[in-house]
Amino acid sequence: NAGVTQTPKFQVLKTGQSMTLQCAQDMNHNSMYWYRQDPGMGLRLIYYSASEGTTDKGEVPNGYNVSRLNKREFSLRLESAAPSQTSVYFCASNERQGLASGANVLTFGAGSRLTVL
Amino acid sequence: DAKTTQPPSMDCAEGRAANLPCNHSTISGNEYVYWYRQIHSQGPQYIIHGLKNNETNEMASLIITEDRKSSTLILPHATLRDTAVYYCIVRPKNSGGSNYKLTFGKGTLLTVNP
């Protein structure tokens, strides 16, 4: 059981180039998320998808687009990369643990380290 | 969502208990306390959560004060592999159809020393 798989693990881009970060989960979760992590900033939510067919902006959506391709896959696209987008990107997914607990447990991928020159 | 306050860093000796505090004085009655950790260069990992009762699992214990304004994550016998950033998060209990986003702050860097 792989959990949340992100590709690529590492990528170097030049300013203005475009690329897509891929994320897939095999846990049949409804909700998926993209975070970025910069030194001293904690994790910041870029976009999320509460369920298949829906996407919403998070805290820092500018410069990104997302696609919820199907229930398993949620991609993050940088149309014109900028040095400010140099970061580590994490994809996550979750499902409620149960009506009684109301828990909200996220499972994260291993991360994608992006450098924009 | 209620804000949380955590110390930026803590040290602990290997084999001793690590007690990580979190202040969430504005927590409301329907908000859960969650703890995650992030070992260097890895994705965050869920540890434990609770509403008002103390909780224990194979990784840790969570102690929530009676007024729910603060909590403590306890790693009973810290090892070098427990060195990580620990995040305390509060979030409302889910209701049908709502989104499930969690907001992470800067957390506490726990360093376990040999």
Side-chain angles (χ1 to χ4, degrees):
Chain A
N1 201 354
V4 178
T5 303
Q6 292 182 233
T7 55
K9 286 186 169 43
F10 301 93
Q11 183 72 50
V12 178
L13 292 176
K14 294 181 180 178
T15 297
Q17 287 184 318
S18 63
M19 77 155 300
T20 300
L21 299 177
Q22 307 286 356
C23 175
Q25 51 92 7
D26 61 3
M27 297 169 286
N28 203 36
H29 286 168
N30 279 324
S31 301
M32 298 185 73
Y33 311 77
W34 276 105
Y35 290 86
R36 62 176 288 174
Q37 186 172 37
D38 305 297
M41 297 293 291
L43 283 153
R44 294 183 292 171
L45 182 64
I46 306 171
Y47 270 94
Y48 65 97
S49 170
S51 61
E52 185 179 356
T54 68
T55 61
D56 284 287
K57 295 178 180 179
E59 185 182 355
V60 288
N62 292 343
Y64 305 95
N65 286 303
V66 290
S67 296
R68 184 73 184 269
L69 305 170
N70 48 55
K71 192 171 185 180
R72 289 187 64 248
E73 298 171 287
F74 188 39
S75 63
L76 179 72
R77 182 161 179 83
L78 288 70
E79 291 290 352
S80 179
S84 61
Q85 294 178 303
T86 293
S87 189
V88 181
Y89 292 85
F90 290 99
C91 178
S93 69
N94 74 342
E95 191 61 71
R96 268 196 303 175
Q97 297 299 94
L99 292 175
S101 72
N104 189 350
V105 176
L106 284 169
T107 300
F108 284 84
S112 297
R113 189 174 298 272
L114 176 66
T115 301
V116 183
L117 302 175
Chain B
D1 298 351
K3 291 189 181 297
T4 62
T5 304
Q6 298 178 253
S9 63
M10 293 182 64
D11 286 323
C12 177
E14 187 177 20
R16 305 295 294 270
N19 298 287
L20 291 95
C22 180
N23 181 286
H24 32 79
S25 58
T26 60
I27 194 170
S28 60
N30 69 341
E31 288 184 314
Y32 281 77
V33 180
Y34 294 84
W35 284 84
Y36 286 77
R37 75 179 182 183
Q38 186 175 22
I39 295 169
H40 182 62
S41 298
Q42 298 182 22
Q45 174 191 25
Y46 165 78
I47 301 172
I48 198 167
H49 74 281
L51 183 62
K52 55 184 177 181
N53 297 321
N54 298 337
E55 302 288 344
T56 295
N57 63 21
E58 64 278 4
M59 290 182 69
S61 295
L62 175 60
I63 308 297
I64 302 174
T65 57
E66 192 169 343
D67 63 7
R68 301 187 68 243
K69 293 185 177 182
S70 65
S71 61
T72 301
L73 178 75
I74 300 173
L75 307 179
H77 304 287
T79 70
L80 298 179
R81 288 175 295 179
D82 292 321
T83 292
V85 177
Y86 288 77
Y87 297 98
C88 169
I89 304 154
V90 294
R91 196 193 179 277
K93 182 177 180 179
N94 292 325
S95 58
S98 64
N99 70 71
Y100 299 98
K101 61 186 176 76
L102 288 175
T103 302
F104 287 74
K106 297 183 181 180
T108 296
L109 173 60
L110 174 69
T111 303
V112 181
N113 300 305

PDB file of all heavy atoms in Angstrom, chain B residues 65-91:
ATOM      1  N   THR B  65      -5.805  19.930  29.105  1.00  0.00           N
ATOM      2  CA  THR B  65      -6.250  20.484  30.381  1.00  0.00           C
ATOM      3  C   THR B  65      -7.774  20.525  30.435  1.00  0.00           C
ATOM      4  O   THR B  65      -8.452  20.511  29.394  1.00  0.00           O
ATOM      5  CB  THR B  65      -5.690  21.895  30.597  1.00  0.00           C
ATOM      6  OG1 THR B  65      -6.102  22.731  29.491  1.00  0.00           O
ATOM      7  CG2 THR B  65      -4.174  21.872  30.673  1.00  0.00           C
ATOM      8  N   GLU B  66      -8.274  20.618  31.647  1.00  0.00           N
ATOM      9  CA  GLU B  66      -9.731  20.558  31.834  1.00  0.00           C
ATOM     10  C   GLU B  66     -10.438  21.705  31.115  1.00  0.00           C
ATOM     11  O   GLU B  66     -11.525  21.531  30.563  1.00  0.00           O
ATOM     12  CB  GLU B  66     -10.066  20.596  33.324  1.00  0.00           C
ATOM     13  CG  GLU B  66     -11.516  20.252  33.621  1.00  0.00           C
ATOM     14  CD  GLU B  66     -11.758  20.032  35.103  1.00  0.00           C
ATOM     15  OE1 GLU B  66     -10.782  19.832  35.844  1.00  0.00           O
ATOM     16  OE2 GLU B  66     -12.930  20.075  35.490  1.00  0.00           O
ATOM     17  N   ASP B  67      -9.820  22.889  31.091  1.00  0.00           N
ATOM     18  CA  ASP B  67     -10.431  24.019  30.398  1.00  0.00           C
ATOM     19  C   ASP B  67     -10.140  23.997  28.892  1.00  0.00           C
ATOM     20  O   ASP B  67     -10.609  24.867  28.158  1.00  0.00           O
ATOM     21  CB  ASP B  67      -9.988  25.352  31.001  1.00  0.00           C
ATOM     22  CG  ASP B  67      -8.489  25.598  30.860  1.00  0.00           C
ATOM     23  OD1 ASP B  67      -7.800  24.815  30.181  1.00  0.00           O
ATOM     24  OD2 ASP B  67      -8.001  26.579  31.438  1.00  0.00           O
ATOM     25  N   ARG B  68      -9.361  23.021  28.446  1.00  0.00           N
ATOM     26  CA  ARG B  68      -9.022  22.785  27.034  1.00  0.00           C
ATOM     27  C   ARG B  68      -8.204  23.905  26.420  1.00  0.00           C
ATOM     28  O   ARG B  68      -8.030  23.949  25.213  1.00  0.00           O
ATOM     29  CB  ARG B  68     -10.286  22.549  26.202  1.00  0.00           C
ATOM     30  CG  ARG B  68     -11.103  21.374  26.675  1.00  0.00           C
ATOM     31  CD  ARG B  68     -12.254  21.055  25.730  1.00  0.00           C
ATOM     32  NE  ARG B  68     -11.759  20.562  24.461  1.00  0.00           N
ATOM     33  CZ  ARG B  68     -11.944  21.166  23.284  1.00  0.00           C
ATOM     34  NH1 ARG B  68     -12.613  22.306  23.220  1.00  0.00           N
ATOM     35  NH2 ARG B  68     -11.467  20.636  22.175  1.00  0.00           N
ATOM     36  N   LYS B  69      -7.640  24.769  27.210  1.00  0.00           N
ATOM     37  CA  LYS B  69      -6.892  25.884  26.657  1.00  0.00           C
ATOM     38  C   LYS B  69      -5.436  25.541  26.374  1.00  0.00           C
ATOM     39  O   LYS B  69      -4.707  26.336  25.781  1.00  0.00           O
ATOM     40  CB  LYS B  69      -6.979  27.090  27.593  1.00  0.00           C
ATOM     41  CG  LYS B  69      -8.388  27.672  27.670  1.00  0.00           C
ATOM     42  CD  LYS B  69      -8.439  28.922  28.507  1.00  0.00           C
ATOM     43  CE  LYS B  69      -9.859  29.511  28.483  1.00  0.00           C
ATOM     44  NZ  LYS B  69      -9.939  30.767  29.260  1.00  0.00           N
ATOM     45  N   SER B  70      -5.005  24.394  26.802  1.00  0.00           N
ATOM     46  CA  SER B  70      -3.651  23.961  26.479  1.00  0.00           C
ATOM     47  C   SER B  70      -3.592  22.440  26.478  1.00  0.00           C
ATOM     48  O   SER B  70      -4.479  21.766  27.016  1.00  0.00           O
ATOM     49  CB  SER B  70      -2.636  24.528  27.459  1.00  0.00           C
ATOM     50  OG  SER B  70      -2.857  24.003  28.749  1.00  0.00           O
ATOM     51  N   SER B  71      -2.535  21.926  25.867  1.00  0.00           N
ATOM     52  CA  SER B  71      -2.339  20.483  25.831  1.00  0.00           C
ATOM     53  C   SER B  71      -0.851  20.188  25.823  1.00  0.00           C
ATOM     54  O   SER B  71      -0.021  21.078  25.573  1.00  0.00           O
ATOM     55  CB  SER B  71      -3.022  19.870  24.603  1.00  0.00           C
ATOM     56  OG  SER B  71      -2.493  20.397  23.401  1.00  0.00           O
ATOM     57  N   THR B  72      -0.527  18.939  26.122  1.00  0.00           N
ATOM     58  CA  THR B  72       0.864  18.485  26.130  1.00  0.00           C
ATOM     59  C   THR B  72       0.949  17.160  25.410  1.00  0.00           C
ATOM     60  O   THR B  72       0.184  16.232  25.709  1.00  0.00           O
ATOM     61  CB  THR B  72       1.394  18.313  27.557  1.00  0.00           C
ATOM     62  OG1 THR B  72       1.303  19.569  28.248  1.00  0.00           O
ATOM     63  CG2 THR B  72       2.849  17.855  27.545  1.00  0.00           C
ATOM     64  N   LEU B  73       1.860  17.076  24.468  1.00  0.00           N
ATOM     65  CA  LEU B  73       2.163  15.815  23.802  1.00  0.00           C
ATOM     66  C   LEU B  73       3.322  15.177  24.551  1.00  0.00           C
ATOM     67  O   LEU B  73       4.335  15.829  24.795  1.00  0.00           O
ATOM     68  CB  LEU B  73       2.554  16.051  22.346  1.00  0.00           C
ATOM     69  CG  LEU B  73       2.949  14.800  21.570  1.00  0.00           C
ATOM     70  CD1 LEU B  73       1.694  13.986  21.236  1.00  0.00           C
ATOM     71  CD2 LEU B  73       3.700  15.154  20.293  1.00  0.00           C
ATOM     72  N   ILE B  74       3.170  13.924  24.905  1.00  0.00           N
ATOM     73  CA  ILE B  74       4.210  13.228  25.656  1.00  0.00           C
ATOM     74  C   ILE B  74       4.738  12.060  24.839  1.00  0.00           C
ATOM     75  O   ILE B  74       3.970  11.177  24.435  1.00  0.00           O
ATOM     76  CB  ILE B  74       3.681  12.718  27.003  1.00  0.00           C
ATOM     77  CG1 ILE B  74       3.177  13.893  27.852  1.00  0.00           C
ATOM     78  CG2 ILE B  74       4.779  11.955  27.759  1.00  0.00           C
ATOM     79  CD1 ILE B  74       2.484  13.474  29.125  1.00  0.00           C
ATOM     80  N   LEU B  75       6.045  12.080  24.591  1.00  0.00           N
ATOM     81  CA  LEU B  75       6.736  10.915  24.032  1.00  0.00           C
ATOM     82  C   LEU B  75       7.417  10.251  25.222  1.00  0.00           C
ATOM     83  O   LEU B  75       8.376  10.796  25.764  1.00  0.00           O
ATOM     84  CB  LEU B  75       7.760  11.351  22.990  1.00  0.00           C
ATOM     85  CG  LEU B  75       7.259  12.261  21.872  1.00  0.00           C
ATOM     86  CD1 LEU B  75       8.407  12.624  20.938  1.00  0.00           C
ATOM     87  CD2 LEU B  75       6.130  11.609  21.104  1.00  0.00           C
ATOM     88  N   PRO B  76       6.954   9.091  25.657  1.00  0.00           N
ATOM     89  CA  PRO B  76       7.379   8.555  26.958  1.00  0.00           C
ATOM     90  C   PRO B  76       8.860   8.208  27.052  1.00  0.00           C
ATOM     91  O   PRO B  76       9.462   8.376  28.107  1.00  0.00           O
ATOM     92  CB  PRO B  76       6.501   7.319  27.135  1.00  0.00           C
ATOM     93  CG  PRO B  76       5.988   6.989  25.792  1.00  0.00           C
ATOM     94  CD  PRO B  76       5.945   8.257  25.010  1.00  0.00           C
ATOM     95  N   HIS B  77       9.439   7.716  25.975  1.00  0.00           N
ATOM     96  CA  HIS B  77      10.861   7.345  25.995  1.00  0.00           C
ATOM     97  C   HIS B  77      11.477   7.803  24.674  1.00  0.00           C
ATOM     98  O   HIS B  77      11.539   7.045  23.710  1.00  0.00           O
ATOM     99  CB  HIS B  77      11.023   5.832  26.156  1.00  0.00           C
ATOM    100  CG  HIS B  77      10.346   5.277  27.358  1.00  0.00           C
ATOM    101  ND1 HIS B  77      10.815   5.469  28.640  1.00  0.00           N
ATOM    102  CD2 HIS B  77       9.200   4.556  27.483  1.00  0.00           C
ATOM    103  CE1 HIS B  77       9.991   4.885  29.500  1.00  0.00           C
ATOM    104  NE2 HIS B  77       9.001   4.326  28.830  1.00  0.00           N
ATOM    105  N   ALA B  78      11.882   9.048  24.644  1.00  0.00           N
ATOM    106  CA  ALA B  78      12.341   9.635  23.387  1.00  0.00           C
ATOM    107  C   ALA B  78      13.599   8.934  22.864  1.00  0.00           C
ATOM    108  O   ALA B  78      14.500   8.574  23.640  1.00  0.00           O
ATOM    109  CB  ALA B  78      12.613  11.114  23.578  1.00  0.00           C
ATOM    110  N   THR B  79      13.635   8.759  21.556  1.00  0.00           N
ATOM    111  CA  THR B  79      14.821   8.210  20.898  1.00  0.00           C
ATOM    112  C   THR B  79      15.351   9.250  19.912  1.00  0.00           C
ATOM    113  O   THR B  79      14.682  10.242  19.616  1.00  0.00           O
ATOM    114  CB  THR B  79      14.486   6.915  20.134  1.00  0.00           C
ATOM    115  OG1 THR B  79      13.679   7.252  18.994  1.00  0.00           O
ATOM    116  CG2 THR B  79      13.734   5.932  21.008  1.00  0.00           C
ATOM    117  N   LEU B  80      16.543   8.985  19.403  1.00  0.00           N
ATOM    118  CA  LEU B  80      17.151   9.926  18.453  1.00  0.00           C
ATOM    119  C   LEU B  80      16.251  10.100  17.228  1.00  0.00           C
ATOM    120  O   LEU B  80      16.219  11.177  16.615  1.00  0.00           O
ATOM    121  CB  LEU B  80      18.538   9.432  18.038  1.00  0.00           C
ATOM    122  CG  LEU B  80      19.567   9.316  19.171  1.00  0.00           C
ATOM    123  CD1 LEU B  80      20.882   8.789  18.621  1.00  0.00           C
ATOM    124  CD2 LEU B  80      19.779  10.637  19.881  1.00  0.00           C
ATOM    125  N   ARG B  81      15.508   9.041  16.873  1.00  0.00           N
ATOM    126  CA  ARG B  81      14.631   9.116  15.705  1.00  0.00           C
ATOM    127  C   ARG B  81      13.399   9.991  15.937  1.00  0.00           C
ATOM    128  O   ARG B  81      12.655  10.260  14.983  1.00  0.00           O
ATOM    129  CB  ARG B  81      14.186   7.709  15.305  1.00  0.00           C
ATOM    130  CG  ARG B  81      15.302   6.895  14.676  1.00  0.00           C
ATOM    131  CD  ARG B  81      14.852   5.464  14.408  1.00  0.00           C
ATOM    132  NE  ARG B  81      14.563   4.754  15.642  1.00  0.00           N
ATOM    133  CZ  ARG B  81      14.133   3.501  15.695  1.00  0.00           C
ATOM    134  NH1 ARG B  81      13.905   2.826  14.593  1.00  0.00           N
ATOM    135  NH2 ARG B  81      13.902   2.906  16.859  1.00  0.00           N
ATOM    136  N   ASP B  82      13.181  10.415  17.170  1.00  0.00           N
ATOM    137  CA  ASP B  82      12.070  11.327  17.456  1.00  0.00           C
ATOM    138  C   ASP B  82      12.447  12.780  17.217  1.00  0.00           C
ATOM    139  O   ASP B  82      11.599  13.665  17.366  1.00  0.00           O
ATOM    140  CB  ASP B  82      11.593  11.141  18.900  1.00  0.00           C
ATOM    141  CG  ASP B  82      10.922   9.797  19.122  1.00  0.00           C
ATOM    142  OD1 ASP B  82      10.185   9.347  18.215  1.00  0.00           O
ATOM    143  OD2 ASP B  82      11.133   9.209  20.197  1.00  0.00           O
ATOM    144  N   THR B  83      13.686  13.051  16.883  1.00  0.00           N
ATOM    145  CA  THR B  83      14.078  14.416  16.540  1.00  0.00           C
ATOM    146  C   THR B  83      13.291  14.854  15.306  1.00  0.00           C
ATOM    147  O   THR B  83      13.377  14.218  14.255  1.00  0.00           O
ATOM    148  CB  THR B  83      15.586  14.507  16.266  1.00  0.00           C
ATOM    149  OG1 THR B  83      16.292  14.277  17.485  1.00  0.00           O
ATOM    150  CG2 THR B  83      15.958  15.868  15.703  1.00  0.00           C
ATOM    151  N   ALA B  84      12.511  15.931  15.467  1.00  0.00           N
ATOM    152  CA  ALA B  84      11.592  16.346  14.406  1.00  0.00           C
ATOM    153  C   ALA B  84      10.953  17.668  14.799  1.00  0.00           C
ATOM    154  O   ALA B  84      11.087  18.133  15.934  1.00  0.00           O
ATOM    155  CB  ALA B  84      10.499  15.289  14.204  1.00  0.00           C
ATOM    156  N   VAL B  85      10.219  18.263  13.866  1.00  0.00           N
ATOM    157  CA  VAL B  85       9.363  19.407  14.179  1.00  0.00           C
ATOM    158  C   VAL B  85       7.980  18.865  14.489  1.00  0.00           C
ATOM    159  O   VAL B  85       7.433  18.074  13.722  1.00  0.00           O
ATOM    160  CB  VAL B  85       9.291  20.401  13.012  1.00  0.00           C
ATOM    161  CG1 VAL B  85       8.320  21.541  13.339  1.00  0.00           C
ATOM    162  CG2 VAL B  85      10.675  20.947  12.690  1.00  0.00           C
ATOM    163  N   TYR B  86       7.423  19.285  15.614  1.00  0.00           N
ATOM    164  CA  TYR B  86       6.121  18.816  16.066  1.00  0.00           C
ATOM    165  C   TYR B  86       5.107  19.947  15.949  1.00  0.00           C
ATOM    166  O   TYR B  86       5.321  21.041  16.450  1.00  0.00           O
ATOM    167  CB  TYR B  86       6.211  18.322  17.516  1.00  0.00           C
ATOM    168  CG  TYR B  86       6.950  17.017  17.621  1.00  0.00           C
ATOM    169  CD1 TYR B  86       8.346  16.976  17.546  1.00  0.00           C
ATOM    170  CD2 TYR B  86       6.260  15.817  17.761  1.00  0.00           C
ATOM    171  CE1 TYR B  86       9.033  15.767  17.603  1.00  0.00           C
ATOM    172  CE2 TYR B  86       6.940  14.609  17.826  1.00  0.00           C
ATOM    173  CZ  TYR B  86       8.320  14.592  17.741  1.00  0.00           C
ATOM    174  OH  TYR B  86       8.990  13.392  17.795  1.00  0.00           O
ATOM    175  N   TYR B  87       4.012  19.649  15.272  1.00  0.00           N
ATOM    176  CA  TYR B  87       2.977  20.645  15.023  1.00  0.00           C
ATOM    177  C   TYR B  87       1.726  20.341  15.841  1.00  0.00           C
ATOM    178  O   TYR B  87       1.222  19.218  15.820  1.00  0.00           O
ATOM    179  CB  TYR B  87       2.580  20.647  13.545  1.00  0.00           C
ATOM    180  CG  TYR B  87       3.664  21.033  12.578  1.00  0.00           C
ATOM    181  CD1 TYR B  87       4.392  20.059  11.899  1.00  0.00           C
ATOM    182  CD2 TYR B  87       3.955  22.374  12.336  1.00  0.00           C
ATOM    183  CE1 TYR B  87       5.382  20.416  10.998  1.00  0.00           C
ATOM    184  CE2 TYR B  87       4.934  22.730  11.435  1.00  0.00           C
ATOM    185  CZ  TYR B  87       5.645  21.749  10.767  1.00  0.00           C
ATOM    186  OH  TYR B  87       6.623  22.107   9.877  1.00  0.00           O
ATOM    187  N   CYS B  88       1.236  21.350  16.511  1.00  0.00           N
ATOM    188  CA  CYS B  88      -0.028  21.272  17.242  1.00  0.00           C
ATOM    189  C   CYS B  88      -1.060  22.068  16.440  1.00  0.00           C
ATOM    190  O   CYS B  88      -0.802  23.224  16.074  1.00  0.00           O
ATOM    191  CB  CYS B  88       0.150  21.864  18.632  1.00  0.00           C
ATOM    192  SG  CYS B  88      -1.367  22.140  19.567  1.00  0.00           S
ATOM    193  N   ILE B  89      -2.184  21.474  16.161  1.00  0.00           N
ATOM    194  CA  ILE B  89      -3.195  22.110  15.314  1.00  0.00           C
ATOM    195  C   ILE B  89      -4.548  21.906  15.958  1.00  0.00           C
ATOM    196  O   ILE B  89      -4.821  20.841  16.514  1.00  0.00           O
ATOM    197  CB  ILE B  89      -3.201  21.449  13.916  1.00  0.00           C
ATOM    198  CG1 ILE B  89      -1.824  21.510  13.271  1.00  0.00           C
ATOM    199  CG2 ILE B  89      -4.247  22.086  13.007  1.00  0.00           C
ATOM    200  CD1 ILE B  89      -1.601  20.398  12.277  1.00  0.00           C
ATOM    201  N   VAL B  90      -5.406  22.919  15.880  1.00  0.00           N
ATOM    202  CA  VAL B  90      -6.785  22.730  16.314  1.00  0.00           C
ATOM    203  C   VAL B  90      -7.703  22.971  15.133  1.00  0.00           C
ATOM    204  O   VAL B  90      -7.455  23.822  14.290  1.00  0.00           O
ATOM    205  CB  VAL B  90      -7.155  23.652  17.499  1.00  0.00           C
ATOM    206  CG1 VAL B  90      -6.354  23.280  18.723  1.00  0.00           C
ATOM    207  CG2 VAL B  90      -6.954  25.106  17.140  1.00  0.00           C
ATOM    208  N   ARG B  91      -8.746  22.203  15.085  1.00  0.00           N
ATOM    209  CA  ARG B  91      -9.669  22.303  13.978  1.00  0.00           C
ATOM    210  C   ARG B  91     -11.041  21.791  14.393  1.00  0.00           C
ATOM    211  O   ARG B  91     -11.132  20.839  15.158  1.00  0.00           O
ATOM    212  CB  ARG B  91      -9.174  21.483  12.800  1.00  0.00           C
ATOM    213  CG  ARG B  91      -9.894  21.861  11.524  1.00  0.00           C
ATOM    214  CD  ARG B  91      -9.682  20.904  10.393  1.00  0.00           C
ATOM    215  NE  ARG B  91     -10.436  21.342   9.235  1.00  0.00           N
ATOM    216  CZ  ARG B  91     -11.734  21.080   9.058  1.00  0.00           C
ATOM    217  NH1 ARG B  91     -12.407  20.377   9.936  1.00  0.00           N
ATOM    218  NH2 ARG B  91     -12.341  21.527   7.980  1.00  0.00           N
TER     219      ARG B  91
END
